[in-house]
Amino acid sequence: MSSDFRAFPADPATAARLGGLGLDYRVLSPDDREALAAWSAAEHRGFHHPRPTPETLEREGALLQERRVQGVYDPALDDATPVATVASWPTGLSVPGGRSVDGWAVAAVTVAPTHRRRGIARAMMEAELANAVTAGAAVAMLTATEATLYGRYGYAPAARAATLEIDRRRVEWAGAEAPGRVRFVTDAAAFRRTAGQIVRRQVARTPGEIDRWPALVDRVLGLEDPAGEAARATRVARYDDERGQAQGFVSYRITRDGMGAGVLEFDFLAAASDDAEAALWRFLLEQDFVSTVRARLRSVDEPLRWLLADQRAITTTVGDHLWLRILDPVAALEARRYEGPGSLVLELDDSLGHAAGRYALEVSARGVAEVQRLDGGADASSASRATAAPTRRSKPAHGLRLGVDALAAMYLGDARASLLARAGRVEETGPGSLAVADRLFATNRAPRLSIWF
């Protein structure tokens, strides 16, 4: 992917569209601390967060220097504070098979309530797709605070997240004994490097995870603002295997109402092995003077219920989390591994034009894919094979007709083609095609994104 993504000029079509409304679309310089601070304040306002402190603005300014930061300004009202914000950056997305695909992360999308219903959000989102294509990303992705906004741009939920609430009084451990041990982290700064290594290993083994940035690990460990209330309430525990090597950690807090039993909450448990995950779960569930354990951003295929004698101790709520948009079907489909062999022709509809076309997917017995664009359209921009000679079966008997959003929902293994067909989102173009697609796109680990971005 392009390394100078922050230097791309503002998308001219977006600038012209918003200019016609008397608005100014700008790419902020990473060196303009004052402009970045005003942008951060507007983003906090857009998400209904408290006004940021000077310390918060300083931390966020350092993070934003590594991202492409854009704002929409209304010069007639205030030339310094944006009325809409968006930030983006290139990042890897983990895909089935322990591999990664080049992605474009989109975040901090806000529009001030004074400027809604003017097409500002649409202009920014379409500009982000153009930026992603310019950067060479195969996919774009985001996490959404509202679920009805992003389908119109070709995004679809591709990895769901579960919130688990466990009645601690009903917990009886039924899993195996982990061979290692759990201990508290007493020096978070000294543990920081090891924590980053564990997180990278978890990301690599879990489809749907994206590459982390150092400031995120600092926040999880309570290093971002060590004297702050949130950091002081945070406890960190690690799991070391039988050789004494750290394989996982969890950051959690316990809140109490008066003298009653507490509620243990966590939203960040990183495990590089199954033993580490199970051991940390047991540590959390067997704490005294705790009535409830609440875990957020967990997998929809969490093994916890098979680690407890009473599965009814767990209440699960599931919702969409990672939203994905396919931009380059050749690069995206070739990046992941499949439960092969098999062949499909995918007839993709994309109202914005980025991925529309017919693509032949040929998967070997090892699950390795070759993808060829069959219609030779002008958008065939990824690999040279897209316009090369046909593969062994240039006209597979099996095929699907679907929108680019449906392909995104299938891509990481979250939604089966047959399920989407029942909802009218996928159509067979040959008998038995849905069964082939279900088998090829299946995964042995449910996709999951364990953070917001």
Side-chain angles (χ1 to χ4, degrees):
M1 292 180 66
S2 175
S3 60
D4 59 347
F5 66 98
R6 292 174 298 175
F8 297 164
D11 179 62
T14 300
R17 183 190 305 184
L18 294 174
L21 300 174
L23 303 173
D24 188 10
Y25 176 58
R26 304 174 192 168
V27 180
L28 276 61
S29 167
D31 299 322
D32 192 339
R33 293 297 186 94
E34 186 175 344
L36 291 176
W39 184 97
S40 287
E43 188 237 354
H44 277 252
R45 180 184 64 192
F47 285 114
H48 308 308
H49 295 160
R51 293 183 181 87
T53 64
E55 293 77 17
T56 297
L57 291 175
E58 183 177 354
R59 289 194 300 268
E60 292 185 352
L63 175 63
L64 292 175
Q65 286 183 308
E66 304 301 320
R67 299 183 176 181
R68 180 180 173 87
V69 181
Q70 294 143 117
V72 178
Y73 296 77
D74 189 340
L77 297 178
D78 182 351
D79 198 45
T81 304
V83 298
T85 64
V86 64
S88 50
W89 66 98
T91 185
L93 170 70
S94 296
V95 297
R99 296 168 61 83
S100 178
V101 67
D102 288 338
W104 186 258
V106 180
V109 180
T110 75
V111 178
T114 54
H115 286 70
R116 295 195 186 280
R117 307 294 183 266
R118 301 190 190 184
I120 295 175
R122 172 170 288 277
M124 292 195 305
M125 292 307 299
E126 291 183 4
E128 284 308 319
L129 296 179
N131 290 335
V133 170
T134 301
V139 300
M141 53 225 174
L142 53 83
T143 54
T145 52
E146 296 186 54
T148 59
L149 299 180
Y150 299 105
R152 67 194 71 173
Y153 311 114
Y155 289 87
R160 292 167 292 158
T163 296
L164 308 182
E165 191 159 304
I166 303 101
D167 184 346
R168 208 332 244 124
R169 295 162 297 187
R170 297 175 64 172
V171 166
E172 180 184 347
W173 191 255
E177 291 281 346
R181 59 176 294 187
V182 177
R183 59 191 179 95
F184 282 107
V185 172
T186 56
D187 187 341
F191 183 62
R192 182 180 183 276
R193 184 168 179 268
T194 299
Q197 294 170 345
I198 293 170
V199 167
R200 285 191 291 275
R201 291 169 63 193
Q202 176 189 293
V203 167
R205 74 197 289 256
T206 311
E209 297 279 24
I210 73 167
D211 294 341
R212 304 300 197 252
W213 49 97
L216 179 66
V217 177
D218 287 346
R219 178 184 64 78
V220 167
L221 295 178
L223 295 171
E224 186 180 70
D225 180 17
E229 184 177 350
R232 290 186 294 110
T234 296
R235 300 286 185 269
V236 179
R238 60 186 280 178
Y239 170 79
D240 296 345
D241 63 19
E242 64 272 29
R243 299 181 303 277
Q245 300 298 311
Q247 300 291 345
F249 72 96
V250 62
S251 173
Y252 70 96
R253 58 203 168 273
I254 297 176
T255 58
R256 292 175 57 198
D257 184 8
M259 296 301 295
V263 175
L264 187 153
E265 297 182 283
F266 72 94
D267 57 13
F268 199 92
L269 187 160
S273 70
D274 292 341
D275 281 343
E277 185 174 29
L280 289 169
W281 262 119
R282 185 171 188 176
F283 164 78
L284 296 167
L285 291 172
E286 293 187 345
Q287 298 213 23
D288 292 333
F289 210 42
V290 166
S291 62
T292 303
V293 174
R294 186 176 299 121
R296 295 185 174 88
L297 300 181
R298 300 303 301 169
S299 171
V300 297
D301 196 20
E302 190 73 37
L304 177 66
R305 62 194 181 102
W306 298 107
L307 297 172
L308 299 182
D310 183 359
Q311 296 190 7
R312 295 183 184 181
I314 308 170
T315 301
T316 304
T317 305
V318 176
D320 62 88
H321 187 45
L322 174 71
W323 287 64
L324 191 65
R325 211 287 187 191
I326 305 294
L327 291 166
D328 184 340
V330 176
L333 291 168
E334 288 187 343
R336 60 157 291 174
R337 291 295 177 258
Y338 300 83
E339 298 299 316
S343 302
L344 283 171
V345 165
L346 303 175
E347 301 181 18
L348 283 182
D349 176 59
D350 182 352
S351 62
L352 297 179
H354 295 290
R358 297 179 69 245
Y359 301 87
L361 170 67
E362 181 86 18
V363 181
S364 72
R366 296 186 299 113
V368 178
E370 290 189 7
V371 182
Q372 179 186 23
R373 181 156 188 172
L374 299 178
D375 55 8
D379 293 287
S381 60
S382 29
S384 59
R385 280 193 297 274
T387 54
T391 56
R392 294 190 306 273
R393 293 182 63 190
S394 60
K395 295 182 179 179
H398 298 112
L400 303 177
R401 185 177 295 115
L402 69 167
V404 68
D405 54 344
L407 180 61
M410 293 167 48
Y411 180 65
L412 298 174
D414 184 68
R416 302 186 314 277
S418 57
L419 176 64
L420 294 171
R422 288 164 55 192
R425 306 291 288 270
V426 172
E427 178 186 350
E428 280 189 315
T429 58
S433 300
L434 291 172
V436 172
D438 282 354
R439 175 174 55 80
L440 289 179
F441 283 88
T443 60
N444 60 10
R445 183 180 288 269
R448 171 188 170 223
L449 175 65
S450 59
I451 61 170
W452 288 91
F453 66 85

